[in-house]
Amino acid sequence: MPTHTPALVDSAEPLTWLVTGASSGIGHALAEHALTHGHRVVLAARSTRAMDALAARFPGSARVVVLDVTSSAQRSAAVQHTLSQFGPIDVLVNNAAVDFIGAIEEQREPDYRAQFEVNLFGAVDMIRLVLPGMRARRAGTLVNISSMDGIASLPANGFYSASKFALEGVTEALQQELAPLGIRAFSVQPGSVRTGIEARTHASGNAIADYAATSGRFREQVAAVTPEMFPGDPARVAAAIHDEIVAPTGRRWLVLGSDALRRIGAKVAALQQDLDAAVLTASRTDFPDAGTAVL
């Protein structure tokens, strides 16, 4: 039997993708889905074993590169490898991420800084590397994999959420900066997806008894979690992201998963409640003779 899986080529023209964090989870599932549908994909992550196995099934359209997104040299090498193998990059997917749990006061500084280095600054630097080529062609798509935690934070996950909140802010600015240039940017807010993340999420710092009912409870839940508690299917998540890339609906936030819909919906409702209350107070803080705001 042949080891190569034939691609199911879409009617759309094949695109060149660069996917970070492609060794597992959503990144791996998305790379596989894109390859199956006839696209060219460079899979990038620190560990190559799972990526090598996937690339072996698609020898003509898949390449593997070692990438720690905190390394300037490896970021540049990944982009150059993609250009040399497949030409201009049509789609960048920033999926690489790390997570540590613990209350804000509990977490160790190296751990909370690492979350920003990977989840935010690594993604930003990848974007800055591919944008010159996309601007020259007036085409391209930037996909930032955020999280439901990037909209609605939780105790014990504050630094992870903060890094994703920041990624959301960057993406929203990019949407406005790049739309006139024909380049699209959108963020994805997955819920709890069965990616094995429960085995890769670690507590940071020593637990403080005063937080037992909040972050302490979250720590206990994470320690006891099993894959069956995650409703999200990585293959279905990958298909939804792929579809938004090749046949865009124009959505700026791609909320995926029943739990993401519930949690983000609750956050929006709470924000709307406070916004409604602000009608009575917000304008009172302006200068009496203030004109129209610049923004």
Side-chain angles (χ1 to χ4, degrees), residues 195-218:
T195 63
I197 192 172
E198 69 278 3
R200 302 189 298 273
T201 299
H202 304 289
S204 174
N206 297 318
I208 297 173
D210 283 343
Y211 297 120
T214 54
S215 63
R217 184 168 177 266
F218 191 91

Side-chain angles (χ1 to χ4, degrees), residues 9 15 36 51 71 85 126 129 144 167 194 205 250 262 288 291:
V9 181
L15 303 172
T36 302
M51 299 191 300
S71 166
Q85 293 293 307
M126 291 300 297
L129 283 170
N144 289 329
L167 186 62
R194 295 183 193 179
R262 172 179 52 79

Side-chain angles (χ1 to χ4, degrees), residues 5-121:
T5 301
L8 304 176
V9 181
D10 291 335
S11 58
E13 181 180 352
L15 303 172
T16 294
W17 300 46
L18 173 56
V19 182
T20 74
S23 61
S24 62
I26 292 172
H28 192 77
L30 183 55
E32 181 175 19
H33 191 89
L35 287 164
T36 302
H37 285 76
H39 300 286
R40 300 172 293 268
V41 180
V42 172
L43 300 93
R46 290 182 299 176
S47 172
T48 66
R49 181 176 179 180
M51 299 191 300
D52 287 336
L54 176 58
R57 294 165 47 200
F58 300 90
S61 56
R63 299 291 184 272
V64 170
V65 63
V66 175
L67 174 61
D68 177 343
V69 296
T70 68
S71 166
S72 176
Q74 290 186 18
R75 291 192 301 264
S76 296
V79 171
Q80 290 304 314
H81 185 68
T82 306
L83 295 172
S84 67
Q85 293 293 307
F86 296 135
I89 296 169
D90 299 302
V91 180
L92 170 67
V93 180
N94 279 312
N95 177 70
V98 296
D99 185 12
F100 291 92
I101 60 171
I104 299 299
E105 186 182 356
E106 292 170 342
Q107 289 201 34
R108 298 173 58 250
E109 182 176 350
D111 295 337
Y112 64 71
R113 287 189 179 275
Q115 291 174 85
F116 278 87
E117 289 296 335
V118 175
N119 303 353
L120 176 64
F121 296 121

Side-chain angles (χ1 to χ4, degrees), residues 141-153:
T141 301
L142 303 172
V143 183
N144 289 329
I145 307 298
S146 178
S147 169
M148 61 183 175
D149 293 348
I151 303 291
S153 191

Side-chain angles (χ1 to χ4, degrees), residues 3-4 48 165 167 169:
T3 58
H4 171 57
T48 66
F165 268 61
L167 186 62

